[in-house]
Amino acid sequence: MQQPRDRARPDEATVDVHFAALPDALIACRVAEPVFADPRVKESFEALFRSFDGAASFQFFKSFRRVRINFQDTVAAAEARVRLHKSDFNGKELRLYFAQTLHIGSPRLEPPKPDKQFLISPPASPPVGWEQAQDATPVINYDLLCAISKLGPGEKYELHAGTPTTPSVVVHVCESEQDSSGGEEDEARPRPRIIQTRRPEYAGPAQH
């Protein structure tokens, strides 16, 4: 574990950070373009590091102009870094850095805590302390029902008087079915019959 240079204050939260003490890989930065395009230059580049470890493997990242060199042991990686760092290769200075492995807290990727799992629809399980809400009792305005019951067909009852800025609220009682239909004469009148459209005769396939 690498110790920080400055001691943390007592009131500050500390984070458990672990570094690999002896890395077994190097990162080559600002690698020349021919290393990615010319097979001969690429072979020469790999030969530099295989002189320290014959089983070294390489990962080329052309977009970033970087190459990761993986060694079998940390001693070979350290020796290659000491001897080849800032050396000249294909007319450019070669820069090598150790590939540090950083772990915060735990070296494993832990799943998130299910603190807000109840937000998933449908929820996997209700949160702690959650209770089913009871439906409220409907509000019945008995005064309104009493006033309407005293009204006759066609009469109205004003709930709220209108103001210059708001309209009035008035309840109208529907007329009886007999009054709205026009009396007994309308009941005796026969209802019109709906005549369906006749289907055309089928003439059959045309003869050629």
Side-chain angles (χ1 to χ4, degrees):
M1 178 177 177
Q2 183 178 357
Q3 299 293 338
R5 296 181 181 179
D6 299 332
R7 295 183 179 179
R9 298 179 181 178
D11 55 343
E12 292 181 351
T14 58
V15 181
D16 188 14
V17 181
H18 297 274
F19 290 91
L22 297 175
D24 57 355
L26 297 177
I27 299 294
C29 301
R30 301 179 184 177
V31 180
E33 292 289 345
V35 174
F36 305 96
D38 193 341
R40 294 183 180 180
V41 180
K42 180 179 180 181
E43 185 178 355
S44 301
F45 179 84
E46 294 179 352
L48 287 177
F49 300 94
R50 287 207 169 97
S51 61
F52 300 95
D53 185 356
S57 60
F58 301 85
Q59 293 173 287
F60 294 87
F61 304 97
K62 183 178 180 181
S63 301
F64 301 97
R65 293 181 57 188
R66 293 187 178 185
V67 180
R68 180 186 175 100
I69 306 99
N70 304 300
F71 298 89
Q72 287 186 330
D73 53 62
T74 58
V75 177
E79 186 178 0
R81 203 276 178 177
V82 171
R83 296 193 179 184
L84 298 179
H85 181 58
K86 291 188 177 182
S87 62
D88 181 76
F89 176 76
N90 199 34
K92 294 203 68 175
E93 185 181 62
L94 188 62
R95 301 204 171 198
L96 301 173
Y97 301 93
F98 287 108
Q100 296 280 3
T101 302
L102 173 64
H103 301 292
I104 300 179
S106 173
R108 299 179 181 178
L109 181 62
E110 301 293 340
K113 296 181 180 180
D115 294 336
K116 297 184 178 180
Q117 202 172 33
F118 64 93
L119 296 178
I120 304 175
S121 180
S125 60
V128 178
W130 181 85
E131 296 181 359
Q132 176 68 41
Q134 301 295 331
D135 294 338
T137 305
V139 179
I140 301 176
N141 193 335
Y142 292 98
D143 295 336
L144 176 61
L145 295 179
C146 181
I148 294 177
S149 64
K150 296 179 180 179
L151 298 177
E155 297 181 357
K156 60 183 179 179
Y157 175 73
E158 187 176 13
L159 294 177
H160 298 284
T163 64
T165 56
T166 59
S168 60
V169 179
V170 181
V171 176
H172 294 266
V173 180
C174 297
E175 298 178 356
S176 62
E177 183 177 356
Q178 182 176 356
D179 296 339
S180 61
S181 60
E184 298 180 356
E185 297 180 359
D186 294 338
E187 294 181 358
R189 185 181 304 171
R191 297 182 180 180
R193 182 181 179 184
I194 300 176
I195 302 176
Q196 298 183 354
T197 304
R198 181 180 179 82
R199 186 185 66 179
E201 298 294 338
Y202 179 67
Q207 301 293 333
H208 295 283

Short mmCIF file of all heavy atoms in Angstrom, two decimals, residues 2 38 42 65 103 112 121 147 175 178 181 197:
data_model
loop_
_atom_site.label_atom_id
_atom_site.label_comp_id
_atom_site.label_asym_id
_atom_site.label_seq_id
_atom_site.Cartn_x
_atom_site.Cartn_y
_atom_site.Cartn_z
N GLN A 2 0.59 2.17 -0.90
CA GLN A 2 1.38 3.39 -1.00
C GLN A 2 0.87 4.41 0.00
O GLN A 2 -0.31 4.68 0.08
CB GLN A 2 1.28 3.95 -2.42
CG GLN A 2 2.16 5.20 -2.61
CD GLN A 2 2.07 5.68 -4.04
OE1 GLN A 2 1.41 5.05 -4.83
NE2 GLN A 2 2.74 6.76 -4.33
N ASP A 38 4.10 0.20 -40.38
CA ASP A 38 5.16 -0.55 -41.06
C ASP A 38 5.46 -1.83 -40.28
O ASP A 38 5.88 -1.77 -39.12
CB ASP A 38 6.42 0.31 -41.17
CG ASP A 38 7.43 -0.28 -42.13
OD1 ASP A 38 7.35 -1.50 -42.43
OD2 ASP A 38 8.33 0.46 -42.57
N LYS A 42 7.53 -2.23 -36.67
CA LYS A 42 6.82 -2.87 -35.57
C LYS A 42 7.62 -4.04 -35.02
O LYS A 42 7.70 -4.24 -33.79
CB LYS A 42 5.45 -3.34 -36.06
CG LYS A 42 4.62 -4.03 -34.99
CD LYS A 42 3.26 -4.45 -35.56
CE LYS A 42 2.43 -5.15 -34.50
NZ LYS A 42 1.12 -5.59 -35.05
N ARG A 65 -1.81 6.32 -29.87
CA ARG A 65 -0.36 6.24 -30.08
C ARG A 65 0.33 5.68 -28.84
O ARG A 65 1.36 6.16 -28.38
CB ARG A 65 0.22 7.62 -30.43
CG ARG A 65 -0.23 8.16 -31.78
CD ARG A 65 0.38 9.50 -32.07
NE ARG A 65 1.83 9.43 -32.02
CZ ARG A 65 2.64 10.50 -32.07
NH1 ARG A 65 2.11 11.71 -32.15
NH2 ARG A 65 3.94 10.36 -32.03
N HIS A 103 -6.94 0.08 -7.38
CA HIS A 103 -8.16 -0.47 -6.83
C HIS A 103 -8.63 0.44 -5.71
O HIS A 103 -7.86 0.77 -4.81
CB HIS A 103 -7.94 -1.88 -6.26
CG HIS A 103 -7.44 -2.86 -7.29
ND1 HIS A 103 -8.21 -3.28 -8.34
CD2 HIS A 103 -6.23 -3.47 -7.42
CE1 HIS A 103 -7.51 -4.13 -9.07
NE2 HIS A 103 -6.31 -4.26 -8.53
N PRO A 112 -24.14 -2.61 -6.82
CA PRO A 112 -24.62 -1.47 -6.03
C PRO A 112 -25.57 -1.93 -4.93
O PRO A 112 -26.25 -2.95 -5.06
CB PRO A 112 -25.32 -0.58 -7.06
CG PRO A 112 -25.71 -1.53 -8.15
CD PRO A 112 -24.64 -2.58 -8.20
N SER A 121 -40.13 -0.67 -11.46
CA SER A 121 -41.54 -0.98 -11.69
C SER A 121 -41.66 -2.30 -12.45
O SER A 121 -41.17 -2.42 -13.57
CB SER A 121 -42.20 0.13 -12.50
OG SER A 121 -43.55 -0.17 -12.72
N ALA A 147 -81.11 19.45 -1.05
CA ALA A 147 -81.66 20.53 -1.87
C ALA A 147 -82.14 20.01 -3.21
O ALA A 147 -83.20 20.43 -3.72
CB ALA A 147 -80.61 21.62 -2.05
N GLU A 175 -85.61 17.14 -16.84
CA GLU A 175 -87.04 16.97 -16.98
C GLU A 175 -87.39 15.50 -17.05
O GLU A 175 -86.52 14.65 -17.30
CB GLU A 175 -87.53 17.71 -18.23
CG GLU A 175 -87.29 19.21 -18.20
CD GLU A 175 -87.74 19.88 -19.48
OE1 GLU A 175 -88.17 19.14 -20.40
OE2 GLU A 175 -87.68 21.12 -19.55
N GLN A 178 -91.24 11.88 -20.06
CA GLN A 178 -92.46 12.18 -20.80
C GLN A 178 -92.45 13.60 -21.33
O GLN A 178 -92.84 13.86 -22.47
CB GLN A 178 -93.69 11.95 -19.91
CG GLN A 178 -95.03 12.19 -20.63
CD GLN A 178 -96.20 11.87 -19.73
OE1 GLN A 178 -96.02 11.41 -18.61
NE2 GLN A 178 -97.40 12.11 -20.23
N SER A 181 -89.89 14.01 -24.26
CA SER A 181 -90.21 13.33 -25.51
C SER A 181 -91.36 13.98 -26.26
O SER A 181 -91.62 13.67 -27.41
CB SER A 181 -90.55 11.85 -25.23
OG SER A 181 -91.67 11.77 -24.36
N THR A 197 -79.22 -1.65 -47.06
CA THR A 197 -78.86 -1.60 -48.49
C THR A 197 -78.75 -3.01 -49.04
O THR A 197 -78.08 -3.86 -48.46
CB THR A 197 -77.53 -0.85 -48.66
OG1 THR A 197 -77.64 0.44 -48.07
CG2 THR A 197 -77.17 -0.72 -50.13
#
